Amino acid sequence: MPAIHSLPPAHRPLEDALALGPALLARARSAEAAPWLAASLVEGPAVVLGAAQRAARVVDLAACAARGAKVLRRATTGTAAFLGGRGVVWTLALPHVASLAPDATARTLLNRNVRGFLKGFSRAGAPAHYFGREWISLQHRPAALLGLDAAPDGAVLIEVFAGHDAALAIPPELAAPDERVIDRWLGKAPAALSDVLPARLSLEALARTVVEGVATRAALPLIDGGEAPELAAERFRPITAPGDPAPPGASAAALARVPIGWIEAAALGDAPGRVWVGGDVLTARWLLDALGRGEAPLDAEASPLEGATLADLSALARRALALGRAPEG
């Protein structure tokens, strides 16, 4: 009988919680091909960047260091989350996009798979809604952030971030100028979990209730996943390079505004004809890599894509390539 394999909620260093994503995705892609779900109780202060966000475009690294806030990068794309104190990271790995919702496609990935999280938050005492793109609303306020990635074989990784002691918005004093000009919350005031959930509810109870909500919405049993996987936490060490994750030697990034915020691209000086493509967009990293190689994906519809269009990304990649070829002076 199909089931969701689950790890019990556990306190983890934030780096380990981020490393859990690739580890559970590998399990979901194994011969057993089962969904995996876990909840990690974490502590900040930290900024968790999306997989394709250039660090200096989102945060002031010096200001973060002065405050003692680590800057880390997750495996999923999308926008940054600030964890000012205690928080929760839910990690959902699926062998294919329709593992939990039979009618899900790559382009409806979040819309279908977020419903279990909405059920869990509502059960915990905070009516939850999802209006598209990158955040979940609790009690009518943005309070949980979504990230996603997808493998070329169709396996999917979704991460959900929520802060208990502080809202997810990057404090203005830690944000870079290009980040401060974006209204990421559509005029609403982001909330910490402590603002919208019953005071008596522990983080452990919340984490467990949301996990159970995902299983209930999918009409699948939860089974014990056994021992936690070995984690490659070193991949998620703090970021210190302003241009990260663009490769060393990349030209200055070209920027373009899109509905989700910014997309960006930079020519690679040591690889003629190649560009790095990134930004706030929610998509599969393989699609960004393909665009950077100048390859039109054979089936772009096989990739999730939220917050920008394929045409937006392709045009910016061409612009960055042209800028990289322009003579100096």
Side-chain angles (χ1 to χ4, degrees), residues 20-100:
L20 196 58
L24 293 189
L25 186 61
R27 287 192 172 184
R29 297 173 72 188
S30 68
E32 193 170 1
W36 280 82
L37 179 58
S40 301
L41 308 176
V42 299
E43 292 193 12
V47 176
V48 182
L49 299 174
Q53 290 186 298
R54 185 169 52 88
R57 201 260 308 153
V58 181
V59 292
D60 181 330
L61 289 172
C64 290
R67 178 164 169 170
K70 295 183 289 189
V71 179
L72 305 173
R73 185 177 304 287
R74 62 182 190 261
T76 52
T77 60
T79 60
F82 176 68
L83 295 171
R86 293 176 296 160
V88 187
V89 181
W90 287 274
T91 306
L92 175 63
L94 306 175
H96 57 85
V97 68
S99 298
L100 301 186

Side-chain angles (χ1 to χ4, degrees), residues 47-51 53 58 74 76-83 88-91 110 114 117 121 129-130 132-138 141-148 158-163 167-170 179 184-185 190-191 193 260 280 282:
V47 176
V48 182
L49 299 174
Q53 290 186 298
V58 181
R74 62 182 190 261
T76 52
T77 60
T79 60
F82 176 68
L83 295 171
V88 187
V89 181
W90 287 274
T91 306
L110 286 178
V114 78
F117 292 97
F121 282 121
H129 300 87
Y130 175 65
R133 292 217 303 261
E134 75 271 42
W135 47 266
I136 291 171
S137 172
L138 303 182
R141 295 176 63 185
L145 190 91
L146 300 164
L148 70 83
I158 296 173
E159 293 177 308
V160 182
F161 298 83
L168 289 165
I170 301 173
E179 182 67 17
R184 297 212 173 275
W185 317 105
L193 292 175
I260 202 170
D280 301 331
L282 284 155

Side-chain angles (χ1 to χ4, degrees), residues 221-282:
L222 281 172
I223 64 172
D224 187 351
E227 293 185 6
E230 185 175 341
L231 301 175
E234 66 278 0
R235 288 177 49 192
F236 298 90
R237 61 183 180 274
I239 292 167
T240 57
D244 186 285
S251 63
L255 290 173
R257 283 292 299 270
V258 291
I260 202 170
W262 297 102
I263 55 174
E264 46 195 329
L268 304 184
D270 58 354
R274 298 276 298 276
V275 298
W276 168 80
V277 181
D280 301 331
V281 62
L282 284 155

